[in-house]
Amino acid sequence: MNDNQPTKCYRLRRDYLYLGILGSILCLIFGTGFSLAAYWNLDGSFRYPVPTAIFIVVFFSFIMLLGIWIILAYYRERLEISRDALIKHDVFHVTEIAFDEITQLQWFSLSGAILVESRFQKFKIHIDNFQKSEQIEITECLRNSVEYDLQEGWDKYRRLKSSLFETTDQPVKPIRFLPVILVLIFAGVFFIAWWYDRGVHFLVVSLINLVVAIRWFSRFRKERLKNSSSV
């Protein structure tokens, strides 16, 4: 690397912040509404109002905590590349590995992860967490800063991640997992309603939402693999 190169900091895409905030808000709204409906049980449709309300609170609290974790990760996690070291900031700890201490650099083509190892430490860099231009910079930096005989899986990684090496600029695609997550939340809500004898139509709606989420996710994966494998 250039001796005069300053430390560069790469943060998670802003999409993760939006995902965490929206998911947490929706879980708070739905969790509060459904738990209160079960607890009050005004129409007598819940056989066990209090246990049902507790279950709903626990279920939505777990999902909301995931959203809060995503928000925390957005503000805490980052990758720093200095003149002579890689510094990985996770939510609760920091790992630093000097370039001359790297014993292995492994490229995972399907997951887009990059494993950096030294004798005593290691961490993974998930390249898809960053903007397209940053993905290119990080990939080129690691490829050129680590001895080639210490790198594994590069050829397959380069083939399946060919979009990173195209010369034409491409707009960054917005995150597509948000609608899938939202549909899965609705599927869970309607399934809970059916489980507590609210009617078989809730099960039908839940299954429809589940099928839509699976098809949406499958189509996204197929498009991603098709784009990454095209030359």
Side-chain angles (χ1 to χ4, degrees):
M1 295 184 66
N2 188 339
D3 291 342
N4 297 322
Q5 179 175 329
T7 299
K8 298 203 65 174
C9 180
Y10 302 95
R11 306 187 68 91
L12 301 185
R13 294 182 301 176
R14 191 172 291 272
D15 298 333
Y16 288 98
L17 177 62
Y18 299 149
L19 174 63
I21 293 176
L22 183 58
S24 300
I25 293 175
L26 289 177
C27 287
L28 179 62
I29 294 174
F30 283 112
T32 302
F34 280 97
S35 60
L36 290 178
Y39 180 77
W40 286 330
N41 196 22
L42 298 179
D43 59 355
S45 58
F46 291 97
R47 185 178 302 178
Y48 306 104
V50 175
T52 302
I54 294 175
F55 174 80
I56 293 175
V57 169
V58 172
F59 175 79
F60 279 98
S61 295
F62 175 76
I63 301 178
M64 188 171 67
L65 286 176
L66 292 179
I68 295 175
W69 179 269
I70 293 175
I71 297 173
L72 186 61
Y74 172 79
Y75 285 105
R76 298 280 297 175
E77 292 189 11
R78 62 188 182 274
L79 173 68
E80 294 182 359
I81 302 180
S82 67
R83 178 175 57 85
D84 52 8
L86 296 170
I87 306 171
K88 177 72 161 39
H89 294 258
D90 293 312
V91 175
F92 295 118
H93 66 277
V94 178
T95 307
E96 179 175 352
I97 300 179
F99 282 107
D100 57 7
E101 295 178 353
I102 294 177
T103 58
Q104 184 182 36
L105 184 68
Q106 190 167 357
W107 305 84
F108 294 93
S109 53
L110 293 180
S111 64
I114 305 170
L115 177 63
V116 183
E117 289 189 71
S118 67
R119 290 185 60 188
F120 305 105
Q121 299 185 100
K122 65 180 179 180
F123 60 75
K124 277 187 178 181
I125 302 171
H126 296 277
I127 199 71
D128 291 333
N129 288 345
F130 306 99
Q131 297 289 350
K132 175 67 177 295
S133 59
E134 296 176 336
Q135 295 179 30
I136 297 173
E137 290 182 7
I138 295 171
T139 300
E140 291 179 347
C141 175
L142 295 178
R143 177 59 178 170
N144 297 326
S145 301
V146 180
E147 295 182 12
Y148 292 160
D149 58 355
L150 299 179
Q151 302 185 33
E152 295 183 10
W154 168 255
D155 292 335
K156 187 175 181 181
Y157 180 89
R158 192 185 192 285
R159 184 170 67 253
L160 294 182
K161 289 284 185 179
S162 59
S163 60
L164 292 180
F165 309 97
E166 296 176 357
T167 55
T168 56
D169 294 332
Q170 296 182 357
V172 179
K173 294 181 180 180
I175 189 169
R176 297 187 182 182
F177 284 109
L178 178 58
V180 176
I181 293 176
L182 295 181
V183 173
L184 286 175
I185 290 176
F186 284 120
V189 170
F190 289 114
F191 181 82
I192 292 173
W194 168 77
W195 184 265
Y196 287 98
D197 299 327
R198 297 290 291 179
V200 70
H201 56 286
F202 284 98
L203 176 61
V204 174
V205 176
S206 175
L207 293 176
I208 292 175
N209 279 271
L210 182 61
V211 170
V212 170
I214 294 174
R215 287 179 59 86
W216 208 333
F217 179 77
S218 176
R219 185 173 64 179
F220 168 73
R221 292 289 297 175
K222 288 180 180 178
E223 290 179 1
R224 181 181 176 185
L225 291 175
K226 180 179 179 181
N227 293 334
S228 61
S229 60
S230 61
V231 179

